[in-house]
């Protein structure tokens, strides 16, 4: 198939949307779709608007498709659904205008009715200067709702619509716990009670009427259900750092404690779906003595765990995959990109065909399947592709793009590179490098991730792409201490925050500067949470290397941080404090390590300008960590700016994030001048 190009040239995505994507020849052509002109980088504002496809879904029969779009502007949003025939997906479908709404997801209930999640936001923002710092005051009064739509009549029903008090005082009613595929007239939804507890409700999607189904407590945050029956309950502590799981076998009435695990980091325990039998749940965990996280079944009667399901040698499982009827399909792994080990091996070739459709450059995630598994919807995300939805028919081998998540042109974004780095002590780590738009060698921004026991993936990263649009290259190293590579890899960073983990970052910097001819005299480091600590520690260790450091919600004093964790830990047996003691160091026996690893105690070694940003209500890293760092830097006569942000642990609204990104860019421009 030949793809026609306009005189000015078209991007790969535009060519996909223009072409009827049915032939293998088209798939093979994707890698040859080169840009015919030099693209101009996107402007900052382009990365923060809402327009694009927010979701796509199939009806239960697999005969209809729904594409949910966000149109309009942030000030005047508009939602729209397009319904297409799956037998003729290239044909323009029927459009349903949803009005002035922001939309999040779409789900078919039956052939005539679907559910969508919507939200409205009414932010209040003011900025004032207080002494030597700016305080960004920001509150987002967003309200989330679930709405059912009759696609024939256009009639819309809001869940809980008859409960005015609940709607008035419950900003978040946008989650569905169970779509109840055997009861298409109802769904299960969590909602807050007036005493501060959470309850589970059975909601009629035709009327919006809700009936309480299950009661939780003031610390309950959700349930997992099988065929409408709650089998797991999840509670969290007041700081939202530890989750407690409770189980209940079918027929039981009392919840029994299953286990506790820390939120945010290592995959010690997470829910995947229904197990092989009604009295089992399928979970993702790392069993005692194992290095890699696996998917396995847990019996709800005695909480015994089974053998790993579809394990892949050398790789951690990241999730499981089910169809629309909760039938098990397989396990997801991340190698150099996302792949599946399917229960039905015949699905593998079709998934690989979709990967090739996107030039072998993207992670292709299956997001919806028909009951017979002949049709599915996938979403592709790549280093310079924010997300594209695609429909695929196994019988016709027809792949049809349904639209992109944003209006960003992938040819005006930085290209991605996967890098293997040999470290100074003989180990090997993985890193991702985003090229400056246009690919010309230039400055480098190092972007260490938070956690630290999480990881970066070879996917679109908004912060990285904004920096790339400025003409800067961006490095994201998965240093030792990161998650996703096994327990031994993570443990290699324990009590080594100040040396080994920093050395891995430095080795990755040296490699990409040499291999890509980047400007070694214009390097900066930017990070959030643990990444903020890494930015400060990098400025301490390598004052000749880094020309600027930006720490967002970062740790500056390991001793103070551990003491705060000990004082505020509200978990049984101080489990969170024990967690961090293992990873950072012991207050009694590792004092020298903790002092050497505290940037606040070593500010005299910092030469570059430092920008500190912190949420005033941060319950993960207290705001005092940035405040004491600012005072230490000022006493030492260093260049520092500090911004307080009203909010939590870097969980800020896009409008506020855009304002902050402008601050980051201004500092780096000055440093790179």
């Amino acid at each position: 198939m030949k793809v026609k190009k306009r005189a000015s040239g078209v991007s790969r995505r535009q060519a996909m949307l223009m072409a009827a994507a049915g032939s293998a020849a088209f798939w093979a052509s994707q890698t040859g779709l080169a840009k015919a002109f030099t693209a101009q980088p996107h402007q900052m504002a382009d990365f923060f608007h809402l327009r694009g496809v927010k979701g796509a879904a199939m009806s239960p029969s697999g005969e209809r498709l729904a594409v949910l779009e966000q149109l309009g502007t942030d000030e005047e949003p508009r939602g729209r659904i397009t319904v297409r025939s799956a037998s003729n997906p290239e044909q323009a479908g029927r459009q349903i205008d949803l009005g002035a709404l922001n939309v999040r997801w779409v789900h078919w209930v039956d052939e005539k009715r679907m559910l969508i999640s919507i939200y409205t936001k009414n932010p209040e923002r003011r900025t004032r200067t207080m002494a030597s710092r700016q305080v960004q005051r920001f509150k987002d009064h967003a309200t989330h709702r679930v709405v059912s739509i009759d696609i024939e009549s256009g009639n819309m029903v809001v869940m809980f619509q008859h409960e005015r008090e609940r709607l008035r005082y419950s900003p978040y009613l946008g989650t569905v716990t169970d779509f109840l595929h055997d009861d298409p007239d109802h769904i299960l939804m969590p909602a807050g009670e007036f005493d501060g507890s959470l309850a589970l409700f059975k909601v009629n999607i035709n009327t919006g009427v809700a009936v309480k189904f299950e009661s939780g407590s003031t610390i309950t945050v959700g349930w997992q259900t099988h065929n409408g029956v709650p089998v797991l309950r999840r509670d969290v502590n007041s700081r939202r750092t530890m989750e407690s799981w409770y189980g209940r076998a079918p027929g039981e009435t009392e919840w029994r404690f299953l286990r506790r695990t820390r939120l945010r980091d290592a995959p010690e325990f997470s829910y995947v779906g229904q197990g092989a039998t009604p009295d089992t749940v399928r979970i993702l965990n790392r069993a005692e003595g194992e290095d890699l996280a696996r998917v396995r079944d847990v019996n709800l009667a005695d909480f015994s765990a089974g053998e790993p399901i579809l394990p892949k040698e050398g790789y951690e499982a990241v999730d499981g995959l089910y169809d629309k009827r909760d039938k098990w399909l397989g396990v997801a792994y991340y190698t150099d990109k996302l792949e599946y080990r399917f229960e039905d091996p015949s699905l593998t070739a079709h998934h690989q065909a979709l990967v090739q459709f996107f030039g072998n450059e993207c992670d292709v995630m299956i997001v919806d399947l028909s009951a017979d598994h002949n049709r599915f919807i996938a979403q592709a995300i790549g280093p310079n592709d924010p997300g594209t939805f695609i429909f695929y028919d196994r019988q016709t081998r027809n792949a049809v793009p349904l639209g992109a998540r944003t209006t960003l042109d992938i040819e005006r974004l930085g290209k991605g590179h996967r890098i293997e780095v040999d470290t100074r002590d003989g180990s090997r780590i993985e890193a991702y490098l985003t090229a400056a738009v246009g690919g010309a060698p230039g400055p480098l921004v190092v972007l260490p991730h938070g956690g630290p026991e999480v990881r970066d993936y070879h996917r679109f990263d908004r912060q990285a792409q904004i920096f790339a649009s400025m003409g800067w290259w961006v490095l994201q190293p998965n240093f030792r201490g990161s998650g996703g590579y096994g327990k031994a890899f993570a443990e290699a960073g324990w009590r080594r925050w100040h040396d080994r983990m920093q050395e891995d970052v430095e080795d990755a910097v040296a490699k990409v500067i040499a291999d890509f001819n980047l400007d070694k005299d214009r390097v900066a480091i930017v990070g959030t949470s643990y990444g903020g600590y890494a930015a400060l520690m990098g400025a301490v260790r390598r004052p000749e290397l880094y020309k600027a450091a930006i720490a967002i919600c970062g740790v500056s004093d390991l001793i103070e941080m551990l003491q705060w964790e000990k004082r505020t830990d509200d978990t049984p047996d101080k489990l969170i404090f024990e967690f961090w003691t293992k990873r950072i160091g012991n207050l009694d026996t590792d004092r020298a390590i903790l002092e050497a690893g505290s940037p606040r105690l070593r500010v005299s070694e910092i030469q570059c300008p430092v920008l500190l940003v912190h949420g005033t209500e941060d319950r993960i890293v207290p705001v005092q960590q940035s405040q004491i760092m600012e005072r230490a830097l000022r006493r030492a006569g260093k260049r520092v700016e500090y911004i307080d942000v009203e909010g939590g642990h870097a969980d800020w609204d896009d409008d506020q994030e855009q304002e902050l990104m402008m601050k980051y860019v201004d500092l780096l421009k000055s440093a790179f001048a």
Side-chain angles (χ1 to χ4, degrees):
M1 177 183 297
K2 294 183 178 179
V3 180
K4 295 181 180 180
K5 295 184 179 181
R6 297 186 294 235
S8 60
V10 296
S11 70
R12 175 169 59 87
R13 175 186 290 152
Q14 291 166 335
M16 289 163 54
L17 295 174
M18 290 165 57
S23 70
F26 180 77
W27 298 350
S29 73
Q30 295 310 295
T31 55
L33 290 175
K35 194 71 175 175
F37 68 106
T38 301
Q40 294 299 312
H42 280 283
Q43 299 298 307
M44 173 85 75
D46 296 343
F47 293 92
F48 290 93
H49 64 66
L50 297 172
R51 290 174 294 167
V53 175
K54 300 306 174 187
M58 267 186 298
S59 66
S61 68
E63 291 300 323
R64 284 178 162 180
L65 307 173
V67 179
L68 181 67
E69 294 177 272
Q70 185 68 64
L71 307 171
T73 64
D74 289 0
E75 293 74 23
E76 297 181 355
R78 185 164 62 90
R80 184 175 71 188
I81 295 174
T82 302
V83 179
R84 303 191 197 181
S85 167
S87 298
N88 192 6
E90 292 95 341
Q91 189 175 57
R94 185 166 65 88
Q95 294 180 345
I96 303 172
D97 193 340
L98 301 175
L101 297 173
N102 295 304
V103 296
R104 295 177 62 238
W105 52 254
V106 60
H107 176 88
W108 284 88
V109 177
D110 54 35
E111 297 303 309
K112 292 182 57 179
R113 187 171 286 273
M114 63 181 69
L115 297 171
I116 62 169
S117 175
I118 64 173
Y119 70 98
T120 58
K121 60 178 183 176
N122 301 290
E124 297 178 358
R125 184 184 305 105
R126 65 183 185 273
T127 302
R128 64 190 178 96
T129 300
M130 193 171 103
S132 59
R133 71 181 63 146
Q134 285 191 354
V135 182
Q136 306 279 342
R137 298 297 185 192
F138 179 85
K139 286 187 177 180
D140 184 0
H141 302 286
T143 56
H144 299 257
R145 300 289 183 257
V146 173
V147 177
S148 70
I149 301 174
D150 186 314
I151 64 171
E152 303 299 336
S153 67
N155 181 52
M156 300 173 66
V157 177
V158 179
M159 304 301 99
F160 298 94
Q161 67 179 14
H162 303 292
E163 301 185 42
R164 293 185 178 180
E165 290 299 302
R166 189 183 302 280
L167 290 176
R168 180 179 298 173
Y169 294 108
S170 298
Y172 198 84
L173 291 172
T175 298
V176 175
T177 298
D178 195 330
F179 288 103
L180 300 177
H181 51 71
D182 289 328
D183 181 5
D185 290 329
H186 295 89
I187 56 176
L188 297 183
M189 290 183 62
E193 295 281 68
F194 297 108
D195 63 358
S197 65
L198 191 73
L200 192 60
F201 290 82
K202 192 170 188 177
V203 189
N204 188 305
I205 67 167
N206 303 296
T207 64
V209 173
V211 177
K212 187 185 293 187
F213 188 75
E214 178 86 21
S215 294
S217 70
T218 56
I219 60 173
T220 299
V221 294
W223 293 264
Q224 301 296 344
T225 60
H226 292 171
N227 300 320
V229 178
V231 294
L232 291 177
R233 191 187 82 207
R234 188 165 67 98
D235 295 354
V236 299
N237 63 327
S238 61
R239 281 184 53 207
R240 305 184 77 84
T241 54
M242 177 71 71
E243 59 184 4
S244 299
W245 289 90
Y246 297 84
R248 192 169 71 187
E252 293 182 342
T253 58
E254 299 297 322
W255 292 102
R256 291 175 289 115
F257 174 72
L258 173 55
R259 66 167 297 153
R260 289 186 179 90
T261 186
R262 184 184 180 276
L263 286 168
R264 297 177 179 266
D265 282 334
E268 301 302 331
F269 186 94
S270 61
Y271 176 78
V272 173
Q274 186 164 329
T277 60
D279 60 349
T280 59
V281 292
R282 194 150 287 176
I283 57 97
L284 173 65
N285 84 326
R286 182 184 292 118
E288 189 69 31
E290 289 186 344
D291 183 53
L292 302 174
R294 301 296 193 198
V295 172
R296 48 172 47 87
D297 283 352
V298 169
N299 189 292
L300 289 166
D302 59 10
F303 297 151
S304 59
E307 293 299 313
I309 299 169
L310 298 174
K312 182 176 179 63
E313 185 65 29
Y315 293 95
E316 286 202 328
V318 296
D319 205 354
L321 181 66
Y322 290 81
D323 69 7
K324 297 179 73 69
R325 304 285 298 180
D326 293 330
K327 181 179 178 181
W328 172 249
L329 293 176
V331 182
Y333 292 90
Y334 203 86
T335 56
D336 59 338
K337 61 178 58 64
L338 181 73
E339 63 179 66
Y340 294 98
R341 295 206 76 181
F342 291 104
E343 194 78 29
D344 175 5
S346 68
L347 287 170
T348 301
H350 296 280
H351 180 255
Q352 290 176 345
L354 284 179
V355 174
Q356 290 301 314
F357 181 89
F358 287 91
N360 206 35
E361 298 173 349
C362 294
D363 293 336
V364 178
M365 297 173 285
I366 297 175
V367 297
D368 200 1
L369 294 96
S370 60
D372 60 8
H373 303 167
N374 280 326
R375 291 169 170 167
F376 49 85
I377 294 173
Q379 182 185 4
I381 302 178
N384 64 322
D385 190 334
T388 301
F389 288 95
I390 189 167
F391 169 73
Y392 178 73
D393 190 311
R394 289 178 62 181
Q395 292 182 332
T396 64
R397 295 182 179 270
N398 192 27
V400 179
L402 301 177
R405 285 190 60 87
T406 75
T407 56
L408 294 170
D409 181 350
I410 63 176
E411 300 299 338
R412 296 169 62 192
L413 297 172
K415 309 301 181 185
H417 303 269
R418 178 177 173 270
I419 309 294
E420 289 190 347
V421 180
D422 293 322
T423 65
R424 65 191 68 181
D425 62 356
S427 187
R428 176 170 288 188
I429 65 168
E430 188 175 39
Y432 305 120
L433 183 66
T434 302
V437 175
L444 174 67
V445 179
V446 185
L447 202 62
H449 62 71
E453 287 182 32
V454 296
R455 58 165 293 176
D456 279 321
Y457 293 91
H458 199 36
R459 297 175 184 166
F460 178 85
D461 183 288
R462 181 170 66 182
Q463 197 173 50
Q465 287 292 346
I466 289 173
F467 290 143
S469 73
M470 300 295 154
W472 310 329
W473 293 63
V474 183
L475 175 66
Q476 295 172 276
N478 283 326
F479 37 81
R480 279 171 291 181
S482 301
Y485 294 91
K487 187 176 182 180
F489 189 88
E491 287 183 345
W494 289 11
R495 300 170 64 250
R496 304 297 299 271
W497 283 26
H498 70 298
D499 51 20
R500 176 177 288 160
M501 294 171 73
Q502 305 303 314
E503 290 167 0
D504 284 358
V505 174
E506 294 163 5
D507 292 344
V509 170
K511 178 175 178 60
V512 299
I513 287 176
D515 290 357
F516 292 86
N517 194 30
L518 305 184
D519 190 341
K520 64 180 178 59
D521 295 321
R522 292 192 293 169
V523 181
I525 186 165
V526 180
T528 300
S529 193
Y530 169 82
Y533 167 84
L536 295 174
M537 199 64 209
V540 168
R541 286 174 52 93
R542 297 295 303 275
E544 83 292 352
L545 176 64
Y546 295 116
K547 299 303 182 285
I550 300 174
I552 306 159
C553 298
V555 176
S556 68
D557 190 315
L558 299 182
I559 296 172
E560 291 281 348
M561 185 70 199
L562 285 169
Q563 289 174 340
W564 181 82
E565 288 285 4
K566 188 175 184 179
R567 288 194 308 272
T568 61
D569 190 358
D570 60 351
T571 62
D573 301 319
K574 299 286 185 182
L575 293 174
I576 292 297
F577 174 65
E578 179 187 355
F579 177 94
W580 286 119
T581 295
K582 288 180 179 179
R583 286 153 177 79
I584 299 176
N586 188 293
L587 281 170
D588 297 323
T589 61
D590 294 325
R591 198 78 178 188
I593 291 175
L594 298 175
E595 290 177 353
S598 294
R600 183 177 80 98
L601 304 179
R602 300 178 62 179
V603 292
S604 63
E605 300 169 64
I606 296 176
Q607 300 300 319
C608 66
V610 174
L611 173 60
L612 302 168
V613 179
H614 218 115
T616 57
E617 301 166 22
D618 194 335
R619 293 185 291 181
I620 305 303
V621 176
V623 66
Q624 290 79 12
Q625 284 288 310
S626 287
Q627 292 170 347
I628 60 177
M629 186 67 186
E630 180 203 19
R631 290 195 292 268
L633 285 165
R634 291 198 183 281
R635 282 195 299 267
K638 305 299 181 177
R639 292 166 292 174
V640 59
E641 181 181 0
Y642 178 33
I643 301 175
D644 273 334
V645 183
E646 188 172 86
H649 193 61
D651 55 354
W652 306 314
D653 182 271
D654 273 1
D655 292 340
Q656 184 68 357
E657 187 68 32
Q658 183 175 350
E659 292 178 21
L660 292 169
M661 283 299 303
M662 292 171 67
K663 291 280 189 181
Y664 309 157
V665 167
D666 286 345
L667 175 62
L668 298 185
K669 281 182 177 178
S670 175
F672 291 154

